Amino acid sequence: FPKQNLFKRIYDLNKEMLLANARITARHPWESKWYTWPVSLRGLLYYTGKNTRINLIGSPVVYGLVLLSLIVFAVSMVFIWTRVALEKTDIRKRPFLIDYTATGTFFLLGWIINLLPYVGVKRCAFLYHYLPGLWYGVLLAACVIDRLLPPKPRKAVCTAVLVCAAAAFVYFSPWVYALEQTPSQRIRMQWVKGWE
């Protein structure tokens, strides 16, 4: 093979991946659209047996926290930078603002960039395609909590989030780990119609 420029190879590889994905036209009963992933409107059934099943579903606690953090970060950016502009503040005297903006924007862009490839793709896609972007959202949530809350409320919020996330994990574990469940338990755990 002839030697190629690294950036040319990266470009060619990404172009071919995009074209290959565009050629996939098969549909799947558990597929979901990219805009449903942040709220986990459609899970993915991997296995079903007698009184057991294995599903991929998003934790309502984690997904809710990520969505809330996206909104809080966007609103805080508008508020902070409007105030800076109106007060004509020397931004160099506010390292907190630079750090919060840079860190939060990095995580927000990571979240967006991981969703963008699926916006124009017509092939079937699944909730697991959202997982890399979800990590950026979780990191953004940590950034927002760490930078915007004073220590005492921060500790309380982190404790509440961890307790709620653990409770959701235990509650939904029969669906995720194929633990025995009655039909009424399964119906009770189906918070969203798309999780059927």
Side-chain angles (χ1 to χ4, degrees):
F1 293 103
K3 281 194 171 187
Q4 286 183 327
N5 178 307
L6 174 65
F7 296 107
K8 170 91 168 96
R9 289 174 31 204
I10 291 171
Y11 171 80
D12 289 343
L13 177 62
N14 280 280
K15 179 180 169 186
E16 182 53 37
M17 286 190 296
L18 186 61
L19 292 173
N21 274 299
R23 289 189 294 265
I24 299 171
T25 58
R27 306 314 309 164
H28 192 280
W30 285 92
E31 69 183 87
S32 56
K33 299 290 185 191
W34 66 271
Y35 51 82
T36 67
W37 299 339
V39 288
S40 188
L41 289 181
R42 183 80 171 144
L44 177 59
L45 178 66
Y46 287 118
Y47 166 80
T48 185
K50 187 178 181 202
N51 297 325
T52 62
R53 63 191 300 144
I54 299 176
N55 284 74
L56 172 65
I57 55 174
S59 167
V61 174
V62 175
Y63 279 56
L65 177 67
V66 167
L67 271 179
L68 180 62
S69 298
L70 292 164
I71 293 165
V72 168
F73 179 73
V75 169
S76 70
M77 285 291 92
V78 170
F79 176 76
I80 288 169
W81 289 102
T82 301
R83 188 169 171 192
V84 165
L86 291 175
E87 294 175 358
K88 296 182 172 75
T89 305
D90 183 2
I91 196 66
R92 291 172 294 188
K93 294 180 180 174
R94 301 249 179 121
F96 161 80
L97 294 180
I98 295 170
D99 180 55
Y100 175 65
T101 300
T103 305
T105 301
F106 176 79
F107 295 141
L108 177 63
L109 287 175
W111 183 83
I112 291 169
I113 288 168
N114 276 277
L115 276 178
L116 278 180
Y118 300 100
V119 172
V121 172
K122 301 210 182 331
R123 65 160 275 188
C124 64
F126 303 94
L127 182 61
Y128 57 73
H129 288 114
Y130 178 61
L131 295 179
L134 180 65
W135 280 110
Y136 282 99
V138 169
L139 291 169
L140 179 63
C143 174
V144 167
I145 291 169
D146 182 58
R147 306 290 164 77
L148 293 186
L149 296 178
K152 273 192 177 179
R154 181 184 324 139
K155 187 176 181 180
V157 167
C158 289
T159 301
V161 167
L162 288 173
V163 167
C164 291
F169 173 80
V170 170
Y171 182 78
F172 291 110
S173 62
W175 265 32
V176 178
Y177 296 108
L179 303 176
E180 188 98 9
Q181 55 187 320
T182 65
S184 64
Q185 286 174 315
R186 190 171 62 248
I187 290 168
R188 192 177 68 235
M189 285 184 216
Q190 185 184 334
W191 286 14
V192 178
K193 185 180 184 295
W195 291 0
E196 75 254 344

